[in-house]
Amino acid sequence: MTAEPLAFRHRHLLGLEGLRADEIDLILDLADGYVAQNRQADRKNALLRGRTIINLFFENSTRTRTSFELAGKRLGADVINMSVATSSVKKGETLIDTAMTLNAMHADVMVVRHPESGAVKLLADKVTGSVINAGDGTHEHPTQALLDALTIRRRKGRLAGLVVTICGDILHSRVARSNIHLLNAVGATVRVVGPPTLIPSEVENLGVEVHHRMSTGLAGADIVMMLRLQQERMQGQYVPSFREYFRFYGLDYEKLAAAKPDALIMHPGPMNRGVEIDSEVADDINRSVILDQVELGVAVRMAMLDLLTRRERTNAQ
Amino acid sequence: MTRRSAYLNARLLDPASGLDVRGGLLAVDGKIADFGPRVFADGVPGGVDVVVDCEGLCLAPGLVDMRVQIGEPGAEEKETIPTASRAAAAGGITSLVCLPGTEPPIDDVSTLEFIARRAREAKLVKIFVAPAVTRGLEGRQLTEMGLLAEEGAVAFTDGHQAVADAAVMARALNYAKVFDKPIMQHPEEPSLSAGGQMNAGERATRLGLKGINRLAEVMMIERDLRLVELTGGRYHAAHLSTGAAVEAIRAAKRRGLPVTCDTAPPYFALTEVDVGDYRTFAKLSPPLRGEMDRRAIVEGLADGTIDAVASDHRPHDQDSKRVPFDQAAAGGVGLETLLPLVLELHHKGTLTLLDALALVTHRPAAILGMEAGRMRVGAPADLVLFDPDVPWKIEERALRSKSKNTPFDKRPTQGRAVRTVVDGRTVFLHGH
């Protein structure tokens, strides 16, 4: 690699709240470079050779874990995956104990997903290496928002000034929170749309416009971000039924017509076809960038692994 | 053998009578025999066993803490009766009321007798009991309130659980009238607060934590006030945390209902901002609220709507707090910080020194019908000698409680107990 930018100011990536626009640009610029690398025949380099990355997942995930694993391997690191059952009553003990145990193995980076908000921070306080939050409860999922931003920037050429509408279950979405923080930092306009039962309290104070109708929420939008609706939250608890939800909040061509003609459709996956998004719309190669998101996810995670290990690598030289 | 103790050069404070004068106090056989400006004005006569020179510090009735959770029986790793007693004595508390949230819960005479026996053995502060309203704290069947009252129960409460069922609450209020005991409610509508981790609002949204709407408190109080009107039973709303709840109690008092309430230091001294970045020591029940609610609590203390301040002591060990926020137990210790935090109300000009002390002496004692909290000839010599101004910093490590979970760690504060006396016997001496 040529002339590396300064090391990242933060030891961990626990969330995007408080991250500055120039820091986000730094990550995205670096990730752009890794996109190019990933499209070459030889996709591997040796930047992190001899380094250890532990993927510690307290919650099931295939795509995020695979994406981090691939990112680590493409940088030449040794990657270990650990899935920890969370069914035991004393989950907290497991968390701290696991953190201390893994810390003793000198992992350079730990990538952690946990079903509870704040758990990744608790763990980060106990380890000597860097920690990347791969999703904690309903708090943040920073690399997802970064890959979303990279996807938008590559398609639209910019982030500032765009109107981005996030639709669906905002209440339980860590992806929504990370996106709100990032998009506000870079000067985009952020809207959220969903039934009032799925909009968190005082979310407007995070810098978003709140809408309850897709027609107004999508009006003039450049980007339409759909969120996954957790099936267990249906059946009358937050929304009366799937079909009612789809009728009012499922993305189909009719509702999409309110957005700009060149509006892009995004989804963090995995999709519930026919619940939050119509299959035809999801597969529309002119509008949907859902597969781009998957590809760019690897590049963004490579960029983060690179950045967070820079100080340590410089010291080691 | 009579035993006489003399306290000289004191600033005598009795909130109940408004006394604030320099003078002395004589205790004979554990009771107050005489006090006032002329007592020992000409020096100490012969035949006195103990002479304490108060050096101008404040001598007041010992503090009465109306809400204390102890871990015994069942959670001795968090707090035992001896450790809670030592912490209370160090905080200037001479009488405390323990809550029924033990394992098993204090819901029958035998558990109550166990507590009484353990308190006698510890032989430090006086421990009273507010047993459960319902058996097993399950919210369904009433406990044997009459038998418990005969054994000294001062109130009935399901501790940190609301008596949620309206019919059960109506029966409890109605039945407890016979024994003239208040029902002490944890006012929180459980169907609204279920699963909640902190105050609902922007901060909970940012942290991704499930919120507890502030209205859950006033909703339960408003329902209960209807039941008080219906039954005429005595009702006490515990640890108020919201302005709406204060307003509801204020209006009920104006209508002449037999209603009282208390709050705890976190609700007038901290806000949800103190939760910071998932600080589990600031996870309390009810949760810390916003600044507007905090100010409304201070206002309720200033105008007398709030009758008392309790420590709301709730010890938790590391295993219960060094976990993700969702899993962390709610509550904080408070016995050793009650006095300085109540004195903050005086130092900030909200209340006079006497009015601040009233919140932790005769006013809670009156609600619970306890013979405590007053300086009176013939009353037990339960006293606290304190320096109202000495600055110090609350440090969790320095706490005597078995658990160290204070939400006030590192807080600079003013005023502390120097000597605590129960029945004429010194049970705490600062620096010893």
Side-chain angles (χ1 to χ4, degrees):
Chain A
M1 296 286 295
T2 53
E4 295 194 339
L6 295 169
F8 202 48
R9 174 165 74 103
H10 311 273
R11 181 152 72 96
H12 308 299
L13 181 71
L14 301 180
L16 297 181
E17 186 174 7
L19 222 61
R20 300 189 308 243
D22 64 299
E23 293 172 320
I24 291 162
D25 286 341
L26 169 70
I27 299 166
L28 298 184
D29 292 347
L30 193 61
D32 258 330
Y34 283 117
V35 175
Q37 181 190 316
N38 287 338
R39 288 179 179 173
Q40 290 163 8
D42 181 4
R43 301 182 184 91
K44 200 161 170 174
N45 72 27
L47 193 70
L48 298 187
R49 195 172 59 199
R51 308 274 159 183
T52 306
I53 296 166
I54 298 180
N55 282 333
L56 181 57
F57 279 62
F58 293 86
E59 192 180 73
N60 287 335
S61 156
T62 310
R63 52 180 67 211
T64 304
R65 204 208 62 217
T66 310
S67 181
F68 270 108
E69 185 176 354
L70 209 48
K73 286 182 171 165
R74 285 193 179 158
L75 293 172
D78 297 319
V79 183
I80 292 154
N81 291 319
M82 282 193 63
S83 295
V84 185
T86 52
S87 54
S88 65
V89 185
K90 289 259 178 183
K91 282 182 277 189
E93 282 187 355
T94 311
L95 178 64
I96 299 244
D97 291 349
T98 311
M100 301 301 275
T101 307
L102 295 179
N103 193 46
M105 296 176 187
H106 302 291
D108 297 278
V109 182
M110 281 166 71
V111 176
V112 187
R113 168 168 289 193
H114 198 281
E116 287 164 317
S117 303
V120 178
K121 190 217 177 274
L122 181 68
L123 188 143
D125 290 344
K126 303 276 172 194
V127 302
T128 45
S130 291
V131 171
I132 297 177
N133 180 1
D136 64 324
T138 56
H139 176 223
E140 285 223 41
H141 188 355
T143 56
Q144 178 69 43
L146 287 164
L147 74 88
D148 290 344
L150 184 64
T151 308
I152 297 169
R153 203 178 76 165
R154 288 173 67 96
R155 287 285 185 128
K156 295 285 182 189
R158 66 194 166 107
L159 291 163
L162 296 178
V163 176
V164 181
T165 302
I166 309 174
C167 309
D169 183 358
I170 313 295
L171 182 64
H172 300 102
S173 178
R174 52 198 177 206
V175 174
R177 284 172 179 75
S178 286
N179 265 304
I180 289 167
H181 297 314
L182 184 151
L183 293 165
N184 269 296
V186 299
T189 299
V190 192
R191 296 181 192 156
V192 297
V193 190
T197 47
L198 291 175
I199 301 290
S201 170
E202 297 178 17
V203 71
E204 59 280 5
N205 294 349
L206 274 61
V208 301
E209 290 171 23
V210 179
H211 294 262
H212 301 304
R213 288 284 185 173
M214 293 288 267
S215 54
T216 62
L218 292 189
D222 296 287
I223 308 292
V224 182
M225 262 185 202
M226 301 307 297
L227 296 174
R228 174 183 165 75
L229 187 75
Q230 306 284 335
Q231 311 232 356
E232 60 273 22
R233 290 179 183 131
M234 306 289 294
Q235 286 114 32
Q237 221 194 333
Y238 290 91
V239 286
S241 70
F242 288 108
R243 66 175 184 182
E244 173 147 333
Y245 185 80
F246 186 74
R247 168 74 184 80
F248 293 96
Y249 299 100
L251 188 67
D252 54 20
Y253 281 114
E254 197 186 325
K255 297 191 190 83
L256 185 59
K260 282 192 183 157
D262 61 346
L264 300 178
I265 299 158
M266 308 180 75
H267 193 297
M271 286 182 280
N272 294 306
R273 290 166 182 268
V275 177
E276 72 260 356
I277 190 162
D278 180 72
S279 260
E280 239 182 293
V281 176
D283 297 334
D284 184 338
I285 50 164
N286 297 315
R287 311 294 293 274
S288 168
V289 292
I290 294 168
L291 294 177
D292 290 25
Q293 290 174 272
V294 178
E295 181 196 354
L296 301 187
V298 179
V300 157
R301 285 159 184 142
M302 289 168 79
M304 281 320 305
L305 292 171
D306 175 350
L307 275 176
L308 291 177
T309 53
R310 262 183 201 187
R311 188 171 296 136
E312 166 66 16
R313 281 185 283 126
T314 315
N315 293 345
Q317 273 169 12
Chain B
M1 274 275 291
T2 44
R3 187 176 165 79
R4 296 162 184 272
S5 320
Y7 298 84
L8 324 179
N9 302 321
R11 179 180 172 190
L12 299 171
L13 296 170
D14 180 35
S17 62
L19 178 82
D20 181 355
V21 68
R22 286 192 72 100
L25 182 145
L26 173 69
V28 177
D29 288 341
K31 300 219 182 290
I32 296 173
D34 197 6
F35 64 94
R38 287 181 315 279
V39 174
F40 309 128
D42 307 318
V44 185
V48 169
D49 307 277
V50 181
V51 177
V52 176
D53 184 347
C54 299
E55 298 174 336
L57 297 180
C58 298
L59 186 65
L63 271 48
V64 176
D65 186 349
M66 69 188 298
R67 296 178 52 82
V68 177
Q69 184 64 60
I70 304 178
E72 202 173 329
E76 289 83 356
E77 74 281 7
K78 296 186 174 185
E79 191 87 279
T80 63
I81 286 170
T83 61
S85 299
R86 276 197 288 280
I93 294 162
T94 54
S95 293
L96 64 84
V97 177
C98 72
L99 297 175
T102 48
E103 187 53 51
I106 307 172
D107 64 355
D108 65 10
V109 170
S110 62
T111 337
L112 190 146
E113 281 174 344
F114 167 79
I115 303 288
R117 178 170 61 76
R118 291 284 290 151
R120 277 197 305 276
E121 287 166 5
K123 217 168 173 267
L124 288 166
V125 302
K126 294 175 181 171
I127 297 186
F128 296 80
V129 182
V133 178
T134 64
R135 288 182 198 187
L137 305 173
E138 285 172 356
R140 290 195 286 270
Q141 295 168 288
L142 298 184
T143 54
E144 295 167 320
M145 291 186 184
L147 296 177
L148 288 161
E150 280 187 346
E151 292 300 318
V154 293
F156 297 97
T157 178
D158 276 357
H160 292 90
Q161 271 161 260
V163 178
D165 187 300
V168 172
M169 189 56 164
R171 265 179 241 132
L173 284 164
N174 217 354
Y175 189 75
K177 278 191 300 190
V178 185
F179 312 101
D180 193 28
K181 300 294 173 205
I183 302 296
M184 199 195 282
Q185 172 75 304
H186 168 71
E188 190 173 56
E189 169 52 48
S191 64
L192 208 54
S193 64
Q197 304 296 328
M198 69 175 292
N199 190 37
E202 181 186 337
R203 299 201 76 84
T205 292
R206 282 184 190 275
L207 292 170
L209 294 172
K210 188 163 190 225
I212 299 174
N213 195 290
R214 44 200 295 289
L215 293 179
E217 183 167 281
V218 73
M219 279 176 66
M220 185 56 90
I221 288 177
E222 283 176 342
R223 182 206 73 174
D224 288 344
L225 291 174
R226 296 288 176 184
L227 300 176
V228 171
E229 273 176 304
L230 178 74
T231 60
R234 284 176 57 200
Y235 177 73
H236 179 87
H239 45 214
L240 295 198
S241 66
T242 65
V246 174
E247 187 45 46
I249 297 289
R250 190 178 282 134
K253 285 184 165 185
R254 230 180 272 135
R255 297 210 310 275
L257 293 180
V259 172
T260 52
C261 67
D262 72 80
T263 190
Y267 307 112
F268 62 76
L270 301 175
T271 66
E272 60 183 340
V273 174
D274 293 287
V275 173
D277 210 1
Y278 303 101
R279 279 185 63 222
T280 56
F281 279 23
K283 179 175 174 178
L284 305 176
S285 174
L288 292 171
R289 309 287 184 182
E291 177 61 13
M292 292 310 287
D293 279 317
R294 190 196 68 80
R295 287 189 200 177
I297 295 296
V298 171
E299 186 52 40
L301 288 163
D303 73 5
T305 301
I306 299 176
D307 298 274
V309 174
S311 70
D312 229 3
H313 184 78
R314 217 174 163 188
H316 289 299
D317 54 8
Q318 298 273 343
D319 289 346
S320 310
K321 284 288 193 182
R322 303 279 187 214
V323 291
F325 206 88
D326 280 353
Q327 293 173 40
V333 293
L335 290 168
E336 290 160 81
T337 51
L338 178 63
L339 177 62
L341 293 165
V342 165
L343 288 175
E344 273 189 17
L345 294 167
H346 163 57
H347 292 301
K348 288 184 171 165
T350 306
L351 293 172
T352 65
L353 180 56
L354 283 176
D355 286 345
L357 284 177
L359 291 163
V360 286
T361 54
H362 76 99
R363 293 180 74 188
I367 293 168
L368 301 175
M370 292 158 58
E371 194 194 356
R374 284 165 179 266
M375 192 177 283
R376 205 164 42 186
V377 171
D382 295 348
L383 304 164
V384 59
L385 180 67
F386 68 96
D387 181 336
D389 300 317
V390 60
W392 63 290
K393 197 175 185 184
I394 297 169
E395 301 262 15
E396 60 177 59
R397 281 173 298 109
L399 294 177
R400 286 167 179 77
S401 274
K402 199 160 180 182
S403 295
K404 314 293 183 193
N405 54 307
T406 173
F408 292 104
D409 190 35
K410 306 282 185 287
R411 186 185 182 93
T413 187
Q414 259 184 289
R416 78 190 313 169
V418 172
R419 179 190 288 264
T420 307
V421 176
V422 174
D423 288 334
R425 196 167 55 90
T426 296
V427 294
F428 167 76
L429 192 54
H430 180 64
H432 287 260

Short mmCIF file of all heavy atoms in Angstrom, two decimals, chain B residues 33 57 85 111 141 197 215 225 284 295 297 309 377-379 409 426 431:
data_model
loop_
_atom_site.label_atom_id
_atom_site.label_comp_id
_atom_site.label_asym_id
_atom_site.label_seq_id
_atom_site.Cartn_x
_atom_site.Cartn_y
_atom_site.Cartn_z
N ALA B 33 -32.92 12.48 79.27
CA ALA B 33 -33.41 12.93 80.57
C ALA B 33 -33.59 14.44 80.61
O ALA B 33 -34.49 14.95 81.28
CB ALA B 33 -32.43 12.50 81.67
N LEU B 57 -20.63 21.03 67.18
CA LEU B 57 -21.29 20.32 66.07
C LEU B 57 -22.77 20.09 66.38
O LEU B 57 -23.23 20.30 67.50
CB LEU B 57 -20.59 18.98 65.82
CG LEU B 57 -19.13 19.07 65.38
CD1 LEU B 57 -18.55 17.67 65.15
CD2 LEU B 57 -18.99 19.91 64.10
N SER B 85 -26.36 -2.81 59.27
CA SER B 85 -26.43 -2.06 60.54
C SER B 85 -25.20 -1.16 60.69
O SER B 85 -25.31 -0.01 61.09
CB SER B 85 -26.51 -3.02 61.73
OG SER B 85 -27.67 -3.81 61.63
N THR B 111 -40.68 -15.10 59.59
CA THR B 111 -39.59 -14.37 58.93
C THR B 111 -39.36 -13.04 59.64
O THR B 111 -38.23 -12.61 59.84
CB THR B 111 -39.91 -14.10 57.45
OG1 THR B 111 -40.85 -15.04 56.99
CG2 THR B 111 -38.66 -14.14 56.61
N GLN B 141 -52.77 -12.96 47.16
CA GLN B 141 -53.42 -13.14 48.47
C GLN B 141 -52.79 -12.23 49.52
O GLN B 141 -51.56 -12.12 49.59
CB GLN B 141 -53.25 -14.58 48.92
CG GLN B 141 -53.95 -15.59 48.04
CD GLN B 141 -53.49 -16.98 48.39
OE1 GLN B 141 -52.37 -17.36 48.10
NE2 GLN B 141 -54.36 -17.73 49.05
N GLN B 197 -35.51 -0.49 30.81
CA GLN B 197 -34.18 -0.44 31.42
C GLN B 197 -33.83 0.92 31.96
O GLN B 197 -33.00 1.04 32.85
CB GLN B 197 -33.13 -0.85 30.39
CG GLN B 197 -33.36 -2.21 29.77
CD GLN B 197 -33.27 -3.33 30.78
OE1 GLN B 197 -32.52 -3.24 31.74
NE2 GLN B 197 -34.08 -4.36 30.62
N LEU B 215 -44.90 8.22 32.61
CA LEU B 215 -46.32 8.17 32.98
C LEU B 215 -46.69 6.89 33.73
O LEU B 215 -47.74 6.83 34.37
CB LEU B 215 -47.19 8.29 31.72
CG LEU B 215 -47.11 9.66 31.05
CD1 LEU B 215 -47.97 9.68 29.80
CD2 LEU B 215 -47.54 10.76 32.01
N LEU B 225 -55.17 6.42 44.12
CA LEU B 225 -55.87 7.49 44.83
C LEU B 225 -57.39 7.28 44.77
O LEU B 225 -58.11 7.57 45.72
CB LEU B 225 -55.49 8.86 44.24
CG LEU B 225 -54.03 9.28 44.53
CD1 LEU B 225 -53.70 10.57 43.79
CD2 LEU B 225 -53.79 9.43 46.03
N LEU B 284 -31.59 2.19 38.19
CA LEU B 284 -32.38 2.19 39.41
C LEU B 284 -33.84 1.91 39.07
O LEU B 284 -34.24 1.93 37.91
CB LEU B 284 -32.27 3.56 40.10
CG LEU B 284 -30.86 4.08 40.40
CD1 LEU B 284 -30.94 5.49 40.98
CD2 LEU B 284 -30.11 3.17 41.34
N ARG B 295 -36.22 18.63 38.89
CA ARG B 295 -36.58 19.91 39.50
C ARG B 295 -37.94 19.85 40.18
O ARG B 295 -38.16 20.48 41.22
CB ARG B 295 -36.63 21.01 38.43
CG ARG B 295 -35.25 21.41 37.97
CD ARG B 295 -35.34 22.62 37.09
NE ARG B 295 -34.14 22.73 36.27
CZ ARG B 295 -33.97 23.67 35.36
NH1 ARG B 295 -34.91 24.55 35.12
NH2 ARG B 295 -32.86 23.71 34.67
N ILE B 297 -39.19 17.29 41.64
CA ILE B 297 -39.00 16.58 42.91
C ILE B 297 -38.47 17.57 43.96
O ILE B 297 -38.95 17.61 45.10
CB ILE B 297 -38.03 15.38 42.73
CG1 ILE B 297 -38.63 14.31 41.81
CG2 ILE B 297 -37.65 14.78 44.09
CD1 ILE B 297 -39.87 13.64 42.32
N VAL B 309 -37.54 11.54 52.89
CA VAL B 309 -36.51 11.03 51.98
C VAL B 309 -36.00 9.73 52.59
O VAL B 309 -35.65 9.69 53.77
CB VAL B 309 -35.36 12.03 51.79
CG1 VAL B 309 -34.24 11.41 50.96
CG2 VAL B 309 -35.85 13.31 51.13
N VAL B 377 -37.84 14.65 76.19
CA VAL B 377 -37.51 14.02 77.47
C VAL B 377 -38.32 12.74 77.59
O VAL B 377 -39.53 12.72 77.34
CB VAL B 377 -37.81 14.98 78.65
CG1 VAL B 377 -37.68 14.24 79.99
CG2 VAL B 377 -36.86 16.17 78.62
N GLY B 378 -37.64 11.66 77.91
CA GLY B 378 -38.31 10.37 78.02
C GLY B 378 -38.21 9.52 76.77
O GLY B 378 -38.47 8.32 76.79
N ALA B 379 -37.84 10.16 75.64
CA ALA B 379 -37.69 9.40 74.38
C ALA B 379 -36.35 8.67 74.39
O ALA B 379 -35.43 9.05 75.12
CB ALA B 379 -37.76 10.35 73.18
N ASP B 409 -20.70 7.58 43.21
CA ASP B 409 -19.24 7.46 43.34
C ASP B 409 -18.54 8.71 42.79
O ASP B 409 -18.91 9.21 41.73
CB ASP B 409 -18.76 6.22 42.57
CG ASP B 409 -17.30 5.90 42.86
OD1 ASP B 409 -16.87 6.12 44.01
OD2 ASP B 409 -16.60 5.45 41.94
N THR B 426 -22.99 4.56 72.11
CA THR B 426 -22.36 4.97 70.86
C THR B 426 -22.15 3.74 69.97
O THR B 426 -21.50 2.78 70.37
CB THR B 426 -21.02 5.66 71.14
OG1 THR B 426 -21.28 6.87 71.86
CG2 THR B 426 -20.29 6.00 69.85
N GLY B 431 -13.78 7.79 62.37
CA GLY B 431 -12.34 7.64 62.52
C GLY B 431 -11.95 6.47 63.43
O GLY B 431 -10.78 6.24 63.68
#
